[in-house]
Amino acid sequence: MSIKQLKYFLLLNILPPLIYIIVSFIKVTSQIKHIDSEPAHEMWDKGENSIVCFWHGRLLMMPFANRRGKGKVLISRHRDGEFIARVMRYFDLGAVRGSYRKEGGISSLREIISDLKNGYDVAITPDGPKGPKYDVKKGIVELAKLTGKTIVPISYSASKKKLFIPGIALLSPFPFQKFCFSGESPFS
């Protein structure tokens, strides 16, 4: 086995459960507060599903924002996407592989529409992995118009945090601290 194959094996088989354990530890040891989330919680309590969106740099703790337990995440078909999809399985979340605009976009769009019709929440990062950061692409708005589903923006922050991977700007909270999910709109 070459070094490249070994790295890929570790990335796809060893790292996902490790990430799950670390992120779960952060959640269990933190004080979590939800603010401005009543409209979304009321909608979900009625059994309605939605298009959930959050910034790409805020994806680490988002599995814990899923209250309904029936969700899928739009994830790139790239190798990094396979890693994220495998991590999501540990959180009992499915994956829609592809992009709204690229990488087999038509099949991804069909799958998203089908999942929304079948009661799943579908999560999308409107600024995407390639950015520009905090710039909403029009695809998510088009999807909401097409399906009639509500866009539910979610974010999080923490009292102690760091940018996990500076090039990706992934916000990583620390254990044993205050942690907050917010219904704050990424569109403002």
Side-chain angles (χ1 to χ4, degrees), residues 11-138:
L11 177 74
L12 295 182
N13 297 294
I14 305 301
L15 214 47
L18 187 60
I19 296 292
Y20 171 76
I21 290 167
I22 291 168
V23 171
S24 296
F25 180 74
I26 292 169
K27 181 202 180 245
V28 169
T29 62
S30 299
Q31 294 177 1
I32 298 175
K33 181 179 179 181
H34 294 264
I35 60 172
D36 299 328
S37 59
E38 293 82 12
H41 289 190
E42 287 173 14
M43 182 181 70
W44 290 329
D45 289 343
K46 291 178 190 173
E48 297 174 22
N49 64 327
S50 62
I51 301 166
V52 176
C53 69
F54 50 87
W55 297 127
H56 190 260
R58 298 279 199 245
L59 61 84
L60 188 64
M61 301 305 287
M62 282 303 154
F64 300 115
N66 177 21
R67 289 186 63 223
R68 295 182 63 239
K70 193 172 182 183
K72 290 192 174 186
V73 182
L74 178 61
I75 300 173
S76 164
R77 292 179 195 245
H78 190 269
R79 183 184 307 186
D80 294 345
E82 180 61 25
F83 165 70
I84 293 168
R86 289 188 184 206
V87 172
M88 291 299 100
R89 285 185 208 145
Y90 285 92
F91 290 100
D92 292 324
L93 292 169
V96 176
R97 299 302 300 276
S99 167
Y100 182 75
R101 290 272 182 219
K102 309 179 238 176
E103 303 177 29
I106 296 297
S107 64
S108 301
L109 179 60
R110 284 188 190 129
E111 186 175 350
I112 290 169
I113 291 170
S114 175
D115 290 336
L116 287 167
K117 283 181 182 176
N118 289 318
Y120 284 89
D121 291 310
V122 176
I124 297 173
T125 55
D127 57 346
K130 295 185 179 179
K133 190 165 61 169
Y134 308 131
D135 182 33
V136 177
K137 308 296 185 294
K138 65 181 178 176

